[in-house]
Amino acid sequence: MAATLPSLVQYVGIFNIVTAVTICLAIFWFLRSNRKSYYNLPPGPPAIPYPFDALMALFPSKNRFGRVVTVNRRYGDLACLQVGKRVLILIASPALVKDLMVKQADVTSNREIPPFFSLMGYTGGILFSDGEPWQEIRRFTLSALRNFGMGKRGIEERIVEEADMLCEAVDALDGKPFDAVALLNSAVSNIICAVTFGRRFDYDDPVFQDMIFRLRKMTSGSDINPIIIELLGRIPAVVKTSFFREPRDNVIGIKNFINKELDEHRATFDPSDIRDIIDTYLAEIQRRKKAGEKCHLDDDYVWTCVFDLFFAGTETTSSSLMWLLLCLAGNPDIQQRMTDEIDSVIGREKSPRFSDKKDMPYTDATLLEVLRFRPVAPVGVPHINATDIQVRGHTIPKNSEMMINILAIHHDPTLWDDPEAFNPNRFLNESETEVIKTDAFTVFGAGRRVCLGEQLARMELFLFATSLLQRFKFRMPDGQTADYSWDHCIGTLTPKLFKVIADRR
């Protein structure tokens, strides 16, 4: 074969060979592009057929969320991307979100475990389990969170105490510029630790910091293109190679951290003394086994449930607080109005309470604007539809990945006045005495898969923010301005690395 190739090139000519190959590829592309034409899919860019979807790994992964917004702006608020064997549906209007995710929740509430996660031993959990197991686990986890204080004074006390620890750590920096990522991640993660493990960790605990670092690398940045992770992550033999060492080690490291806590809980478990959510899981498993009842929450599922609580509850809230500090440092007039309201309603001596929020419309509006301006989960977690769906004269095929394009909705000029500007007043009535609710605010998702920890996230954001602004005024270092563009990320929208100065008030 090696001997005949040069003679073939000489006989036919390199130009003719390239032309023939190009025509063949074009025909193949056309045929594969139209493989689902009988479905009358929503509009979208040309399909990228298998195996050419692998070429997506060659494209830059930065600003892909910006490109997803562009798709909806070009093709409408219901758009379709065909990448290989996958059909991705992008939903970018509140009306469509309500129609598809709420009214048709029976068929649009499924999920699929990412291939890479499944190869790491992820067998269920809250985020990616499906059907009856998911309903049981979600219902039980929500009940456990409520039992341990979500929405009540118990968890509020823990957040206020952690906020005091955070303020002490910031105060120890003595007005020097600092990167708030590690501190905010530690503080927010400690709330999950408190309700899950029954204890918090010191900010300088090396094992705790290693877990947080791995979690952040998983969600907000990696040296490996995420498209490559998606494509090659389906092949067990490839995942075991050194190429996947970093993402593989990150998942395994977090799993080991959680399993160590689980082992300690199993060794000291007392059904008459339920200390935290892990004990609640263990007690329910034990009760159902003794009663001979069917239980989807088995021992193999516990670590994934705890993993999901960290995965969904740490990075999102801490990133929102990062955006808050950046936006306030870049808008001192808005920060001043917040601190004036905090001083007026709470004062500087009393600890904030979540009940104060109802008397603080400007602070509430500013926090909502942070979540609108930079939604940290810009397309949420994809839903999978169980059947074909007819909508607006188009068909969404069964097993499509349906994503709420939150970033596109939150920056739609037909829904928001000057959406690229950071303006808390858009959430206030004319007298600025009441917060206005709008269906266009979709940061927590919709339908049965709406964020499990929404109430906890709102409480954390308010209490951490007001505690910090009670004591500090945040500003950019001299000669620097706030940069609101986002960094390379896998699943969350994070600010580019920046430093901020906290001056004591």
Side-chain angles (χ1 to χ4, degrees):
M1 180 68 183
T4 61
L5 187 58
S7 56
L8 178 65
V9 171
Q10 183 178 9
Y11 179 75
V12 177
I14 186 66
F15 175 79
N16 291 333
I17 290 177
V18 171
T19 301
V21 170
T22 302
I23 291 174
C24 290
L25 289 176
I27 293 172
F28 181 72
W29 186 299
F30 175 79
L31 292 174
R32 297 290 295 187
S33 295
N34 289 275
R35 70 192 186 282
K36 290 191 179 292
S37 59
Y38 58 90
Y39 270 116
N40 189 25
L41 294 170
I48 302 175
Y50 175 85
F52 300 108
D53 55 325
L55 297 176
M56 291 288 290
L58 301 177
F59 289 87
S61 58
K62 292 186 177 181
N63 197 33
R64 60 186 173 280
F65 291 128
R67 293 196 293 273
V68 169
V69 170
T70 300
V71 170
N72 277 119
R73 288 181 177 173
R74 181 173 299 174
Y75 296 100
D77 52 17
L78 183 68
C80 175
L81 292 173
Q82 286 183 263
V83 183
K85 300 177 181 179
R86 301 166 63 192
V87 176
L88 293 83
I89 304 297
L90 301 175
I91 306 165
S93 87
L96 273 173
V97 170
K98 185 175 182 179
D99 182 24
L100 293 170
M101 301 303 188
V102 180
K103 294 182 179 179
Q104 301 189 60
D106 287 344
V107 296
T108 62
S109 297
N110 291 348
R111 286 267 170 85
E112 181 181 63
I113 299 176
F116 180 76
F117 273 26
S118 63
L119 291 172
M120 292 295 100
Y122 184 105
T123 55
I126 306 163
L127 285 177
F128 301 113
S129 59
D130 221 342
E132 185 180 340
W134 164 70
Q135 293 178 26
E136 178 183 314
I137 292 168
R138 179 184 172 92
R139 184 168 54 247
F140 185 78
T141 302
L142 184 58
S143 174
L145 284 169
R146 287 171 177 164
N147 288 340
F148 282 93
M150 189 174 77
K152 301 177 182 178
R153 289 295 297 270
I155 194 66
E156 183 178 41
E157 292 293 339
R158 289 181 183 271
I159 297 172
V160 169
E161 290 173 5
E162 194 63 43
D164 287 339
M165 299 284 189
L166 174 62
C167 288
E168 290 177 8
V170 173
D171 192 46
L173 298 170
D174 200 25
K176 297 176 182 177
F178 70 101
D179 177 0
V181 172
L183 285 178
L184 291 177
N185 269 270
S186 298
V188 173
S189 184
N190 260 333
I191 304 303
I192 303 297
C193 288
V195 297
T196 305
F197 302 147
R199 65 189 180 101
R200 67 179 299 278
F201 293 84
D202 292 336
Y203 292 166
D204 58 358
D205 185 306
V207 177
F208 180 54
Q209 286 303 316
D210 178 71
M211 188 275 293
I212 290 176
F213 175 78
R214 293 179 184 278
L215 187 64
R216 186 167 183 83
K217 288 290 286 184
M218 280 182 57
T219 56
S220 63
S222 175
D223 295 331
I224 301 178
N225 188 308
I227 298 173
I228 297 177
I229 293 178
E230 167 65 23
L231 294 173
L232 299 184
R234 299 175 181 271
I235 307 172
V238 175
V239 172
K240 295 178 181 179
T241 66
S242 59
F243 181 79
F244 269 83
R245 180 174 297 159
E246 181 193 4
R248 183 181 67 242
D249 288 352
N250 286 336
V251 175
I252 293 174
I254 297 170
K255 181 178 180 179
N256 290 340
F257 175 84
I258 294 172
N259 279 333
K260 182 175 182 295
E261 291 291 331
L262 284 171
D263 289 342
E264 292 178 3
H265 274 68
R266 290 187 180 103
T268 59
F269 176 68
D270 180 357
S272 64
D273 180 23
I274 304 301
R275 301 161 293 185
D276 45 46
I277 288 179
I278 289 181
D279 275 358
T280 305
Y281 284 144
L282 297 178
E284 181 67 5
I285 292 170
Q286 186 181 88
R287 183 190 71 78
R288 292 202 178 194
K289 284 183 177 179
K290 286 182 178 179
E293 297 178 7
K294 182 180 179 181
C295 181
H296 295 291
L297 183 68
D298 58 24
D299 289 332
D300 292 334
Y301 269 46
V302 174
W303 89 263
T304 55
C305 290
V306 176
F307 173 86
D308 283 351
L309 291 174
F310 279 98
F311 187 72
T314 296
E315 176 63 25
T316 51
T317 303
S318 60
S319 291
S320 294
L321 287 168
M322 287 289 295
W323 283 115
L324 173 68
L325 294 186
L326 182 64
C327 290
L328 293 183
N331 296 274
D333 53 332
I334 293 175
Q335 182 176 186
Q336 187 61 53
R337 287 196 61 181
M338 276 190 72
T339 54
D340 288 345
E341 188 174 67
I342 291 170
D343 290 348
S344 174
V345 176
I346 304 174
R348 298 194 189 183
E349 302 300 326
K350 183 174 75 75
S351 294
R353 295 294 167 189
F354 194 56
S355 58
D356 294 324
K357 186 165 73 77
K358 68 181 185 301
D359 300 317
M360 302 172 67
Y362 193 81
T363 297
D364 191 7
T366 302
L367 298 179
L368 291 173
E369 177 65 352
V370 170
L371 297 176
R372 181 208 67 85
F373 183 61
R374 291 294 181 263
V376 293
V379 294
V381 181
H383 293 219
I384 306 294
N385 52 312
T387 64
D388 289 356
I389 298 174
Q390 303 298 322
V391 56
R392 293 186 178 180
H394 299 288
T395 300
I396 299 176
K398 178 182 177 180
N399 293 329
S400 297
E401 297 182 37
M402 304 172 63
M403 295 183 287
I404 303 175
N405 197 341
I406 299 170
L407 186 61
I409 294 174
H410 283 192
H411 286 261
D412 186 342
T414 66
L415 299 173
W416 310 90
D417 182 34
D418 192 12
E420 302 303 322
F422 184 79
N423 178 20
N425 286 76
R426 71 175 79 251
F427 285 100
L428 295 171
N429 62 4
E430 290 187 6
S431 61
E432 299 185 1
T433 58
E434 186 178 343
V435 171
I436 301 172
K437 295 183 179 180
T438 171
D439 289 339
F441 183 79
T442 55
V443 71
F444 293 105
R448 294 178 184 173
R449 289 285 187 170
V450 69
C451 177
L452 183 73
E454 175 180 349
Q455 193 172 10
L456 177 60
R458 289 181 183 273
M459 182 179 285
E460 287 178 319
L461 194 57
F462 177 80
L463 294 176
F464 277 121
T466 50
S467 296
L468 287 167
L469 290 174
Q470 267 187 320
R471 308 183 196 187
F472 306 103
K473 179 179 179 180
F474 294 93
R475 61 183 174 89
M476 302 300 297
D478 293 342
Q480 297 184 25
T481 57
D483 180 1
Y484 303 118
S485 57
W486 51 79
D487 202 355
H488 167 69
C489 48
I490 292 178
T492 56
L493 211 62
T494 57
K496 290 184 176 181
L497 291 177
F498 70 95
K499 290 189 177 182
V500 70
I501 295 174
D503 295 321
R504 297 184 186 92
R505 293 184 61 210

